[in-house]
């Protein structure tokens, strides 16, 4: 059997994957650690570790004695670790208004990030792809990484996606504009590519790093200009037949909601309406702030400070949010609903009242309402997490950078 045939032999491949899994799960490990975890023989483990070192996935560390450990007798164990610098992954939040790219190492540590605005109403797919390319190039440049170092790219889009990363046209071609062929574009570079709905990636980030951790069933509810949801039920991301499980057009049918407009969109609009009507106290922040600054964060900060006009808007939003959460939580019987996105950090004036109202609208126990702590980068974080999942599952078919 040749070396290449030996590598592709099903049992040897499975054994190599088991060794590499141990590397992903530990900062450093010995052959004995792998033997205990897998039941493989010492000779098999040592041979596979040597092979994975040769291929560039593992690095051999100084043995415990050389590193300062103490041995009373016997030969010190050989120690290994995953080479975090064997490649990079890219997580891209390709939103309607801006594109953010994050480069990370194989431990998920952020190396660099870049951000570019994009025409939210542009209809030229080449223009949106060009902005994405420029943003990714900037992130890789800041990370000191070449394009050939990319082992996987994951892109989040405000549209449903199928398993190949394609999106349907959508109303007024919105989905097609938001996903102008990212999958084919990046696969054409030879990169492993995943294109996923942005709210689904937010849900992955919340489960791995944020407020979804520890819950087997939760919803990440992303709210900026529009509401979108990522569902994790019994530990599994729910995508639906065509990837559209998190699209929330059903909200147009919900009494007291009537649209998919998000918290950022509505608080800005409602504040401008109050300002135009002149119904707030002249000293209210809604009346005194520059019109271009009159957004959700300002309204929520004013509500937290006790501004009556802002408190009225927060109460109005709480009622709307409670109805949305009652519908979604009631359908899926989830433990927790996580409000994600840039506005989440300011939501305290809304969430407390929304939670009280939710208890009135649902049979107890209703889902817990919590604000994400991951900020506006939640989709990028989820994209990085997804890209790392792909690299881990496909590692034996990828070529890492050599040391």
């Amino acid at each position: 059997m040749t070396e290449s045939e030996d590598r592709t032999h099903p049992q040897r491949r499975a054994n190599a994957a088991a060794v590499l899994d141990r590397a992903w799960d530990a900062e450093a490990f010995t052959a004995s650690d792998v033997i205990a975890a897998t039941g493989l023989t010492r000779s098999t483990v040592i041979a596979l570790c040597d092979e994975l070192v040769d291929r560039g996935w593992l690095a051999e560390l100084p043995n415990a004695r050389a590193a300062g450990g103490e041995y009373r007798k016997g030969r010190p164990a050989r120690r290994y670790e995953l080479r975090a610098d064997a490649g990079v992954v890219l997580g891209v939040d390709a939103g309607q208004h801006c594109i953010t790219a994050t480069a990370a190492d194989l431990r998920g540590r952020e190396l660099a990030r870049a951000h570019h605005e994009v025409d939210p109403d542009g209809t030229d797919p080449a223009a949106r792809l060009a902005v994405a390319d420029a943003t990714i190039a900037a992130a890789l440049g800041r990370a000191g990484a070449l394009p050939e170092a990319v082992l996987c790219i994951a892109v989040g889009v405000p549209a449903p996606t199928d398993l190949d990363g394609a999106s349907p046209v959508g109303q007024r071609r919105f989905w097609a504009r938001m996903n102008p062929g990212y999958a084919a574009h990046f696969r054409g570079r030879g990169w492993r590519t995943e294109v996923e709905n942005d709210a689904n990636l937010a849900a992955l980030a919340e489960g791995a790093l944020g407020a979804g951790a520890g819950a087997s069933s939760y919803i990440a509810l992303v709210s900026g200009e529009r509401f979108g949801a990522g569902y994790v039920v019994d530990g599994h991301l729910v995508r639906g037949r065509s990837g559209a499980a998190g699209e929330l057009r059903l909200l147009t049918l919900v009494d007291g909601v009537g649209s998919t407009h998000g918290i950022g969109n509505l608080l800005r609009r409602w504040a401008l309406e109050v300002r135009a009507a002149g119904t707030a106290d002249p000293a209210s922040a809604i009346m005194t702030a520059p019109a271009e600054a009159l957004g959700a964060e300002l309204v929520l900060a004013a509500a937290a400070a006790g501004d009556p006009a802002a408190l009225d808007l927060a109460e109005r939003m709480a009622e709307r949010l409670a109805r949305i959460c009652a519908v979604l939580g009631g359908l899926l019987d989830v433990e927790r609903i996580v409000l994600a996105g840039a506005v989440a950090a300011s939501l305290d004036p809304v969430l407390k009242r929304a939670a009280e109202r939710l208890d009135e609208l649902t049979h107890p126990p209703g889902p817990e309402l919590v604000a994400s702590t991951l900020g506006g980068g939640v989709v990028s974080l989820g994209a990085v997490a997804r890209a790392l999942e792909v690299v881990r599952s496909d590692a034996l078919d990828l070529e890492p950078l050599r040391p």
Side-chain angles (χ1 to χ4, degrees), residues 214-242:
S216 65
S217 297
Y218 63 91
I219 297 170
L221 189 59
V222 180
S223 178
E225 292 300 301
R226 290 178 174 82
F227 277 113
Y231 309 133
V232 173
V233 178
D234 297 332
H236 300 287
L237 182 68
V238 178
R239 302 186 76 260
R241 179 184 61 183
S242 58

Side-chain angles (χ1 to χ4, degrees), residues 112-297:
R113 182 179 296 196
H115 170 100
H116 283 115
E117 300 295 324
V118 64
D119 181 0
D121 301 313
T123 58
D124 180 7
R128 185 167 281 267
L129 288 171
V131 175
D133 285 342
T135 309
I136 289 164
L140 288 175
R142 293 171 189 172
L146 296 174
E148 51 264 36
V150 176
L151 296 180
C152 183
I153 179 173
V155 184
V157 295
T161 62
D162 62 23
L163 294 177
D164 290 326
S167 297
V169 172
Q171 188 177 20
R172 298 178 183 174
R173 297 191 60 82
F174 179 78
W175 291 338
R177 289 190 288 112
M178 294 301 102
N179 183 9
Y182 287 122
H185 182 69
F186 294 122
R187 286 172 189 154
R189 298 184 180 182
W191 293 348
R192 282 286 202 287
T193 303
E194 294 282 307
V195 182
E196 181 60 272
N197 173 261
D198 54 3
N200 285 347
L201 293 179
L204 292 179
E206 293 296 344
L209 304 167
S216 65
S217 297
Y218 63 91
I219 297 170
L221 189 59
V222 180
S223 178
E225 292 300 301
R226 290 178 174 82
F227 277 113
Y231 309 133
V232 173
V233 178
D234 297 332
H236 300 287
L237 182 68
V238 178
R239 302 186 76 260
R241 179 184 61 183
S242 58
E247 295 301 318
L248 296 181
R249 291 189 67 181
L250 66 88
L251 296 181
T252 63
L253 307 177
V254 177
D255 187 35
V257 179
S259 76
T260 61
H261 295 318
I263 292 173
N265 180 309
L266 289 173
L267 285 180
R268 180 179 66 249
R269 183 187 304 178
W270 293 345
L272 288 170
E273 290 172 355
V274 168
R275 185 184 184 115
T279 53
D281 186 309
S284 168
I286 291 175
M287 303 300 291
T288 61
E292 63 272 16
L294 201 55
E297 287 79 6

Side-chain angles (χ1 to χ4, degrees), residues 5-28:
E5 289 171 335
D6 192 37
R7 282 184 179 179
T8 58
H9 188 276
Q11 187 58 57
R12 184 173 179 82
R13 183 181 175 87
N15 291 344
V19 174
L20 201 47
D21 272 346
R22 179 62 184 172
W24 287 102
D25 291 334
E27 288 297 321

Side-chain angles (χ1 to χ4, degrees), residues 359-399:
D359 285 342
E360 298 168 2
L361 295 172
T362 60
H363 295 293
E368 179 187 14
L369 297 189
V370 296
S372 171
T373 59
L374 299 182
V378 62
V379 174
S380 290
L381 291 171
V384 166
R386 178 60 185 140
L388 287 171
E389 285 180 354
V390 172
V391 173
R392 180 168 178 168
S393 65
D394 296 350
L396 295 178
D397 295 321
L398 297 171
E399 289 297 329

Side-chain angles (χ1 to χ4, degrees), residues 45-183:
V45 169
I46 293 295
L48 289 170
C49 285
D50 286 343
E51 178 184 318
L52 291 168
V53 168
D54 181 62
R55 291 189 62 184
W57 282 114
L58 299 184
E60 186 168 0
L61 302 172
N63 64 54
R65 183 177 295 157
E70 295 184 1
Y71 277 82
R72 294 181 180 175
K73 62 181 180 177
R75 183 168 55 187
R78 295 169 67 183
R79 300 166 63 242
Y80 306 89
E81 69 175 359
L82 180 76
R83 285 188 55 234
D85 61 352
V88 300
V89 295
L90 290 168
V92 180
D93 179 0
Q96 181 181 1
H97 296 266
C98 61
I99 296 178
T100 301
T102 301
D105 69 14
L106 299 189
R107 288 293 186 189
R109 292 181 287 249
E110 183 176 318
L111 301 174
R113 182 179 296 196
H115 170 100
H116 283 115
E117 300 295 324
V118 64
D119 181 0
D121 301 313
T123 58
D124 180 7
R128 185 167 281 267
L129 288 171
V131 175
D133 285 342
T135 309
I136 289 164
L140 288 175
R142 293 171 189 172
L146 296 174
E148 51 264 36
V150 176
L151 296 180
C152 183
I153 179 173
V155 184
V157 295
T161 62
D162 62 23
L163 294 177
D164 290 326
S167 297
V169 172
Q171 188 177 20
R172 298 178 183 174
R173 297 191 60 82
F174 179 78
W175 291 338
R177 289 190 288 112
M178 294 301 102
N179 183 9
Y182 287 122

